[in-house]
Amino acid sequence: MTETKRTTEISELGEFGLIDLLTRDIELKNSSTVRGIGDDAAIIDYKNKQVVVSTDMLTEGVHFNLMYVPLKHLGYKSVVVNLSDIYAMNATPRQITVSIAISNKFSVEAIEELYSGIKLACETYGIDLVGGDTTSSLTGLVISVTVLGEADKNKIIYRSGAKPTDLLCVTGDLGGAYMGLQLLERENEVFKVNPKIQPEFIGYDYILGRQLKPEARKDFKEILNKLEVYPTSMIDISDGLSSEIMHICKASDTGCRLYEEKIPMDNQTKQMAEELNINPLVAALNGGEDYELLFTLPINDFDKIKNDFDITVIGHITEKSEGANLITTGGSEIPLQAQGWNPLE
Ligand code: ADP
Ligand code: MG
């Protein structure tokens, strides 16, 4: 690369200059945001609604690799993964705070790029950025996002409401984000050996998008209303289907039967898995980052959802004594294991 772009060192602006640069064009959208950035604290007014809060932290080298993740995508994704948790409660996210720790290898322009993704997510989902914190890091980048949302008290959907005979359902398709990551990792290895080789991404736009620009299921509340169904339990799929199912079973004190052949997967996911010699089931069960929703419905609701292309019944809830089991395509029954991605391993 011969291109030289002038970049600004963060020390030229200082902490307050940087905060000002990043936040000066923010316009508040929600009436519940009484006060945003600029005082010692933000002020939120949800009137008679319940407040729902969730936080996630992402660290460089553990949760993302800046070799192949553009900063704008990283900003977008770090917001979306938090919103997903709020939608999984059947609540509506309204405000976020963003805290960053940055090392001196980042320029002002790089952090602006990160914020352009954060702001795009705020636009797309109708969220106000109301505060945060800015500090330095000796090594990599750390981003922590906290999201606040509102919910009607009697409409919140917990993990704990599943009952034996309930249908186990998912939105969308699974395993795509994991296979997208495998593709990016493969091309990154090739690049490290020979930077002149162009990456081969043709035909894999869907799984790359699933990894680099995931979306949260903002639309799902509407879908439920239209179908006139109400989940007994719900969780978002961030760590892989297997561990999310186990969370529902544990919280609801039940078992389950999950059918391998029913797990929805996109063709690109299957194709990439074949190319890399990975069992696509592993991608769906243990891959994670799909940000779809896993939920349970009373069995009597089956007729209402059976023709919805976006919802797939993948199994059902059983008594706890029957355990949580996967029924393979071959017909054997094996205990599910929560092999979801574990950052502390
Ligand atoms: P304090 O000294 O009270 O922590 P700061 O100087 O850190 O205040 O922050 C000033 C204002 O800017 C506050 O409203 C804070 O929430 C906001 N802020 C600080 N860092 C960020 C950031 N990275 N993103 C968004 N808002 C921020
Ligand atoms: Mg501060």
Side-chain angles (χ1 to χ4, degrees):
M1 294 275 265
T2 50
E3 188 190 348
T4 47
K5 249 202 254 161
R6 202 190 107 69
T7 54
T8 316
E9 298 244 347
I10 286 170
S11 56
E12 288 179 46
L13 284 185
E15 180 193 336
F16 300 127
L18 179 66
I19 295 172
D20 186 48
L21 179 73
L22 296 175
T23 61
R24 66 185 169 199
D25 61 348
I26 287 172
E27 283 171 27
L28 302 176
K29 303 182 259 304
N30 289 293
S31 57
S32 51
T33 312
V34 179
R35 186 78 167 93
I37 289 165
D39 215 308
D40 296 317
I43 306 174
I44 314 293
D45 182 4
Y46 286 151
K47 305 210 170 358
N48 53 355
K49 304 274 183 149
Q50 292 222 316
V51 184
V52 185
V53 188
S54 182
T55 292
D56 267 306
M57 190 185 290
L58 303 174
T59 56
E60 184 179 346
V62 178
H63 300 94
F64 55 89
N65 183 342
L66 290 176
M67 283 292 288
Y68 52 77
V69 177
L71 283 163
K72 184 172 180 180
H73 286 77
L74 178 63
Y76 191 87
K77 183 169 174 174
S78 58
V79 175
V80 164
V81 303
N82 274 273
L83 303 184
S84 178
D85 282 317
I86 302 294
Y87 293 124
M89 302 299 287
N90 200 31
T92 307
R94 297 287 186 200
Q95 290 89 14
I96 55 166
T97 61
V98 174
S99 299
I100 49 174
I102 33 186
S103 64
N104 57 12
K105 74 175 182 191
F106 292 95
S107 65
V108 169
E109 287 75 11
I111 303 303
E112 281 189 284
E113 195 59 22
L114 178 76
Y115 265 69
S116 73
I118 291 172
K119 288 172 186 172
L120 179 61
C122 287
E123 271 320 303
T124 309
Y125 290 88
I127 310 294
D128 291 331
L129 175 57
V130 297
D133 201 21
T134 306
T135 187
S136 53
S137 149
L138 292 181
T139 52
L141 177 65
V142 181
I143 310 168
S144 173
V145 177
T146 297
V147 55
L148 294 158
E150 60 177 53
D152 291 325
K153 188 173 181 178
N154 53 6
K155 295 213 172 123
I156 295 177
I157 303 176
Y158 297 88
R159 297 176 176 184
S160 55
K163 298 272 179 302
T165 76
D166 277 359
L167 302 169
L168 191 59
C169 310
V170 283
T171 60
D173 58 80
L174 302 177
Y178 179 79
M179 291 320 308
L181 178 63
Q182 300 311 308
L183 174 59
L184 286 164
E185 294 264 352
R186 178 183 78 179
E187 296 306 313
N188 188 37
E189 289 306 313
V190 173
F191 177 82
K192 280 199 276 193
V193 177
N194 185 350
K196 291 210 178 94
I197 296 180
Q198 289 295 310
E200 286 187 36
F201 291 145
I202 296 164
Y204 288 121
D205 51 324
Y206 178 69
I207 57 170
L208 283 174
R210 293 289 278 177
Q211 171 58 223
L212 291 176
K213 192 168 181 282
E215 301 292 353
R217 295 305 305 252
K218 179 181 195 232
D219 57 332
F220 192 58
K221 190 183 265 198
E222 249 339 279
I223 294 174
L224 291 178
N225 284 341
K226 222 168 58 207
L227 295 172
E228 295 179 354
V229 295
Y230 187 74
T232 48
S233 68
M234 188 151 71
I235 187 169
D236 73 321
I237 303 179
S238 50
D239 296 337
L241 183 60
S242 196
S243 70
E244 313 303 0
I245 289 180
M246 307 279 279
H247 284 312
I248 284 195
C249 287
K250 184 157 184 251
S252 301
D253 213 20
T254 64
C256 74
R257 284 165 76 85
L258 164 69
Y259 294 88
E260 176 182 358
E261 65 197 13
K262 306 255 195 241
I263 299 173
M265 275 185 262
D266 187 82
N267 275 337
Q268 283 188 16
T269 306
K270 293 182 198 161
Q271 243 172 47
M272 192 76 247
E274 196 178 305
E275 209 179 304
L276 296 180
N277 229 334
I278 295 173
N279 183 348
L281 183 64
V282 172
L285 286 182
N286 305 329
E289 295 200 293
D290 289 314
Y291 300 105
E292 295 293 344
L293 294 167
L294 171 73
F295 59 100
T296 53
L297 284 179
I299 192 161
N300 290 339
D301 283 340
F302 181 67
D303 281 340
K304 293 187 188 167
I305 57 145
K306 67 179 183 202
N307 294 323
D308 192 292
F309 72 96
D310 200 27
I311 296 177
T312 311
V313 178
I314 54 172
H316 57 261
I317 299 294
T318 64
E319 295 292 343
K320 186 181 184 182
S321 57
E322 293 180 45
N325 294 302
L326 172 75
I327 319 301
T328 67
T329 307
S332 46
E333 189 163 334
I334 49 174
L336 269 181
Q337 281 171 349
Q339 281 167 342
W341 188 82
N342 185 347
L344 300 179
E345 262 174 9

